[in-house]
Amino acid sequence: MESGVPRPCVIVTGSGSCDGGPVRAWLPHLLGDESTIVGMLGYAPPTSIAGQLLSLRTTPRAERVRHTGILEWSPDERVAIRDIRAGFVLMGGYSAHADQSGLVDWLVWEFKGEWKSSGKVVFIQHGADDQRTALKDAFESQAEEMDLQVRTVLPESGEQWFDLDADGRAVDDLSSEAQIAMEIRRLQEELARVRRCRA
């Protein structure tokens, strides 16, 4: 973090969860300063850094010294909760994400008297499981009501493979994974060939 930043100041940065992005460069350095107020916009998963910080909103600063927890971005980037003197506020109404009804309206929409869907398969990766399930139910309910076929997938981890040519079905067998890996290699080779031709 740049030294000599005039005080008071306002820093605007991305990464609402505070787990990554530019916020990692400055947030750990400011948490120990009681003149710091961190404003969070919108939802933060409870297990994220932002969610953990928001849970401290109602804990008086004097009580935090008893806390034994640690916020950890990496083994080298850690802040003991007992050392956090900053204040935290949640400011609603500023989220860049659409709410559930906005997302449902994006997926299922009417054009010239005919109902359409933005996709036949939708993956919901972001959010807590109960919220992802609620959005899945809302998508499928609206699609069914308009007689549209929409399949919603809630990936369990970033390690899963999905066959997008087979309605987003998870790939479970090793032979399919091997075929996908071969196709990835083929595409990488084709991309390299195209780049060489352009050079």
Side-chain angles (χ1 to χ4, degrees):
M1 184 168 148
E2 183 181 325
S3 60
V5 175
R7 299 289 180 121
C9 68
V10 175
I11 301 172
V12 178
T13 185
S15 187
S17 67
C18 298
D19 292 336
V23 73
R24 283 180 69 168
W26 59 266
L27 185 59
H29 302 284
L30 296 177
L31 291 176
D33 185 343
E34 66 182 38
S35 70
T36 298
I37 299 173
V38 179
M40 308 278 187
L41 305 178
Y43 173 77
T47 58
S48 69
I49 297 288
Q52 293 174 68
L53 291 173
L54 283 173
S55 73
L56 297 175
R57 280 184 310 174
T58 57
T59 305
R61 289 178 176 130
E63 291 295 318
R64 291 182 197 163
V65 297
R66 298 178 190 193
H67 204 294
T68 58
I70 292 178
L71 295 179
E72 184 172 331
W73 287 268
S74 73
D76 297 331
E77 295 175 292
R78 303 163 49 126
V79 174
I81 292 176
R82 70 175 173 267
D83 296 333
I84 296 175
R85 304 283 183 266
F88 305 97
V89 295
L90 177 62
M91 300 183 291
Y94 294 100
S95 177
H97 299 282
D99 60 8
Q100 185 181 81
S101 64
L103 290 170
V104 170
D105 290 345
W106 166 83
L107 179 65
V108 177
W109 44 277
E110 186 179 10
F111 180 71
K112 294 185 177 180
E114 188 176 335
W115 286 96
K116 308 271 185 186
S117 70
S118 296
K120 293 186 186 290
V121 181
V122 177
F123 291 85
I124 305 174
Q125 180 66 41
H126 187 68
D129 285 344
D130 61 331
Q131 294 164 335
R132 294 188 319 143
T133 300
L135 184 57
K136 173 187 188 295
D137 293 346
F139 278 170
E140 291 176 351
S141 173
Q142 183 68 15
E144 184 179 329
E145 187 177 320
M146 300 307 156
D147 201 30
L148 297 170
Q149 295 295 316
V150 174
R151 184 167 172 275
T152 310
V153 179
L154 305 178
E156 294 173 19
S157 75
E159 301 300 316
Q160 286 180 291
W161 286 82
F162 295 91
D163 186 343
L164 300 181
D165 292 326
D167 290 329
R169 302 282 177 213
V171 174
D172 293 325
D173 63 311
L174 293 176
S175 64
S176 293
E177 285 187 33
Q179 288 176 338
I180 291 169
M182 285 176 25
E183 180 66 11
I184 289 171
R185 280 193 296 279
R186 186 191 70 74
L187 291 170
Q188 288 172 331
E189 290 168 3
E190 179 66 18
L191 181 59
R193 186 190 66 76
V194 168
R195 287 180 176 158
R196 283 192 305 271
C197 289
R198 287 185 179 169

